Amino acid sequence: MRPILLTFALAAMALVTFAADAEPLSIDAILSARFDGDRSGACVLAAQIDGDRVETGKVCADPERARNWNADTSFEIGSISKTFNGLMLAQAVAAGTISLDDPIAKHLPKRTNVPTFDGQPIRIRHLLTHTAGLPSLPLRFAPKKPDNPYADLSDAVLIGSLADLKLSAAPGTNWAYSNWGAMLLSHILAHHAKTDYPTAMQKTLFEPIGMTSASLGGKRKGVKLADGHLSSGAPTAHWDFPDTMGGVGAVRASLHDLIAYAKAELHPDSVPALSAALTESQELLSTSAPQMAWGWIVRDTDGGRRYAHEGGTGGFSSLLMFEPKRGRATIVLSDAALTDVGGLGQVAMAIDQGTTEGLAPRREIAADAELLKALTGDWLISGALPAKLWVNDGNLVLQAQGQSAFELGHDSAGAFFVRPVDAVLVPVKAEDGTYSLRLHQGGGVVPVTRVKAPEQVVTLDAAALAAYVGKYPLAPNFVLSVFVDQGQLMAQATGQGAFALTPEGQDVFTARAFGIEIQFNRAVDGSVKSLNLKQGGANTPAEKQ
């Protein structure tokens, strides 16, 4: 059976903040609060560094399926690998072999057709900070094995896809998380290395830091590699990457490895051979939201800067964050892919603050009969793929056009999940009581909208749509851009993906899959002057710039 939608996105980073309990709890207690009885069956290892103190913990959701992993077992750490790409680049910049301001065309094969925007090229710094204007994946990407999607990716696809791309804005203008960009950077760095990229990374990074189990792909002799699982608990394949592209997400490392890495980031002088690169890699390269250092996503807190990156592959999830000023770091590793059910950000913040606030396992429970009835009918996945939902023996069944039917489970977080593949369907209830859906898969989120009867469809001509175009600041450094793309009104918030707006009334548009309704307001002369964005019970006004 094949996935409903193929995205294969390695995870970025999202963190929430809690109020800390008066008495910090142990890591085991915090992990138990989140994973005890969780439907994923995940085994989770975690560590916290606080000054000279290091605390570790391990919890398995199902003791009867507990795996014999320990702090020396190697896990796929996904996109945390990008921070090692950043360190390799910092060394190359210091050596003068690469400049952050080099156009990437300088380091790609001759006659590579690299897009520009009004003569402005994509530069090395744009790949590092996800501001190159590249989609998440190469346009010609067509994996032969959905459960190991990067294994057969070739240079021809990676680089040749650039010829198919048309940039919509100047590089450096907008942030959009791009595994394609990270693979290009890895490819460039690999071809500047004096040996193959896995060996170069081991000799110049892992060994000086003391990461004795770490490797870029494969595994080191004598190291046990954990097996991966879907969020439903089913086993799944390991992910493999071409050596030259491994900097996107191929690093495998143990909890002890990441403790050593976090200590090096907290105290760069403790690793003399890498002190300069570690220090440089913490410097900000992009100050617009989200802030980026050399592979790290950065947030300003009361305790100083917090550096973080979350990782996810087909069967694993991971997270590492640290705050140099506080001398504190948190690491979480899971042998199940949890990106599509919220990832590990909430868990990491709970460990950081010693609380179980907001944590709960996702246990399988029966769905409400009224909800099942409300969701039956015809739908469109991402506005293109027809799908049907119906009820069979008390369970929701999903069938996308041309694919097998899937009976869906339902969990205590209110999500429906597809058992044989990692896909989660989340109902979103609008203020008028109707439902839309969001499909979470492979780290991506796409809308699932109900097919409407023709008489319900509202159409607007180009002139009418143009009236809404503009920038609407919702908060400081957080702007909603409204624009038209191929006759469709679109919206995009700072640091987020674009989504379609559907006209449903006089100056009223919705994105029901995200629970969004936008009411545009007009001035006396009839021009659009502002909007009100309604989502999750909140009403946010914004003046048009």
Side-chain angles (χ1 to χ4, degrees), residues 186-187 190 196-199 201 216-218 240-247 250:
S186 179
H187 175 88
D196 63 274
Y197 207 37
T199 300
M201 198 170 280
L216 185 68
D240 301 299
F241 299 78
D243 285 350
T244 58
M245 305 174 207

Side-chain angles (χ1 to χ4, degrees), residues 44-326:
V44 183
L45 280 68
Q48 184 182 59
I49 301 169
D50 191 359
D52 295 329
R53 180 184 67 85
V54 178
E55 179 188 357
T56 63
K58 174 187 174 183
V59 163
C60 289
D62 182 356
E64 294 185 2
R65 290 189 291 166
R67 270 80 74 171
N68 189 28
W69 312 149
N70 59 40
D72 291 314
T73 304
S74 184
F75 286 66
E76 293 178 4
I77 65 169
S79 284
I80 296 176
S81 306
K82 293 177 173 69
T83 68
F84 295 105
N85 241 10
L87 277 175
M88 294 294 283
L89 178 60
Q91 292 179 303
V93 169
T97 58
I98 298 178
S99 168
L100 286 176
D101 291 317
D102 283 347
I104 65 171
K106 178 179 177 181
H107 301 283
L108 295 175
K110 291 181 179 180
R111 294 182 293 280
T112 297
N113 189 348
V114 182
T116 62
F117 185 87
D118 290 343
Q120 300 181 59
I122 299 172
R123 302 184 187 276
I124 294 293
R125 67 169 63 245
H126 300 142
L127 299 182
L128 186 60
T129 58
H130 300 285
T131 59
L134 300 178
S136 177
L137 294 167
L139 300 180
R140 301 178 187 178
F141 184 56
K144 296 177 182 177
K145 296 180 179 180
D147 61 350
N148 191 8
Y150 294 93
D152 60 345
L153 183 59
S154 66
D155 285 354
V157 169
L158 178 75
I159 297 171
S161 293
L162 289 168
D164 304 333
L165 179 66
K166 182 177 180 181
L167 297 178
S168 60
T173 303
N174 299 315
W175 189 89
Y177 193 79
S178 176
N179 289 310
W180 185 9
M183 286 186 280
L184 284 168
L185 179 58
S186 179
H187 175 88
I188 289 168
L189 291 167
H191 284 276
H192 276 75
K194 295 180 180 179
T195 184
D196 63 274
Y197 207 37
T199 300
M201 198 170 280
Q202 181 175 326
K203 294 296 184 183
T204 63
L205 299 184
F206 301 151
E207 290 182 3
I209 292 172
M211 300 174 66
T212 56
S213 301
S215 61
L216 185 68
K219 67 174 184 176
R220 289 164 77 166
K221 186 177 180 180
V223 174
K224 183 176 183 178
L225 178 62
D227 296 320
H229 302 79
L230 305 178
S231 64
S232 63
T236 191
H238 290 286
W239 275 11
D240 301 299
F241 299 78
D243 285 350
T244 58
M245 305 174 207
V248 69
V251 173
R252 296 169 175 177
S254 70
L255 186 65
H256 279 156
D257 289 332
L258 294 183
I259 290 171
Y261 183 33
K263 286 182 175 180
E265 291 286 0
L266 291 172
H267 307 288
D269 290 345
S270 67
V271 188
L274 287 174
S275 177
L278 287 163
T279 301
E280 182 67 21
S281 70
Q282 294 179 19
E283 293 298 317
L284 292 183
L285 294 178
S286 174
T287 56
S288 59
Q291 297 184 122
M292 292 289 304
W294 296 57
W296 295 103
I297 297 173
V298 185
R299 181 174 295 178
D300 292 321
T301 71
D302 292 341
R305 288 178 181 167
R306 177 187 297 142
Y307 298 80
H309 215 298
E310 195 161 2
T313 62
F316 295 85
S317 293
S318 59
L319 186 146
L320 192 158
M321 68 180 190
F322 64 94
E323 297 181 48
K325 189 174 180 180
R326 295 172 67 199

Side-chain angles (χ1 to χ4, degrees), residues 327-515:
R328 181 177 289 185
T330 303
I331 303 148
V332 191
L333 295 173
S334 165
D335 68 352
L338 302 174
T339 300
D340 296 320
V341 292
L344 294 171
Q346 189 179 38
V347 178
M349 290 304 300
I351 293 172
D352 178 71
Q353 300 186 13
T355 179
T356 58
E357 182 181 345
L359 298 182
R362 301 174 75 111
R363 296 187 174 119
E364 185 168 357
I365 61 171
D368 180 77
E370 289 300 315
L371 174 62
L372 294 177
K373 182 179 178 181
L375 296 179
T376 59
D378 295 318
W379 298 81
L380 278 178
I381 298 173
S382 195
L385 180 63
K388 289 182 177 292
L389 287 171
W390 69 92
V391 178
N392 179 50
D393 197 22
N395 294 310
L396 196 64
V397 181
L398 168 67
Q399 184 171 27
Q401 188 177 74
Q403 300 191 13
S404 302
F406 296 90
E407 185 176 279
L408 307 182
H410 180 260
D411 67 27
S412 52
F416 293 89
F417 58 96
V418 185
R419 299 178 192 279
V421 295
D422 245 351
V424 178
L425 207 57
V426 180
V428 180
K429 191 173 184 179
E431 293 183 358
D432 62 3
T434 61
Y435 282 92
S436 59
L437 297 161
R438 294 195 304 262
L439 175 65
H440 297 248
Q441 189 179 17
V445 184
V446 298
V448 183
T449 51
R450 191 177 287 280
V451 176
K452 293 183 177 182
E455 63 270 19
Q456 293 177 287
V457 177
V458 178
T459 58
L460 297 172
D461 61 23
L465 292 176
Y468 304 108
V469 172
K471 295 186 180 296
Y472 300 82
L474 299 170
N477 299 317
F478 191 70
V479 176
L480 185 73
S481 298
V482 177
F483 57 96
V484 177
D485 183 16
Q486 297 183 6
Q488 171 70 59
L489 196 67
M490 306 288 292
Q492 183 172 21
T494 301
Q496 300 183 13
F499 55 92
L501 294 175
T502 302
E504 295 204 10
Q506 181 63 42
D507 292 331
V508 176
F509 291 77
T510 62
R512 290 194 175 274
F514 303 103

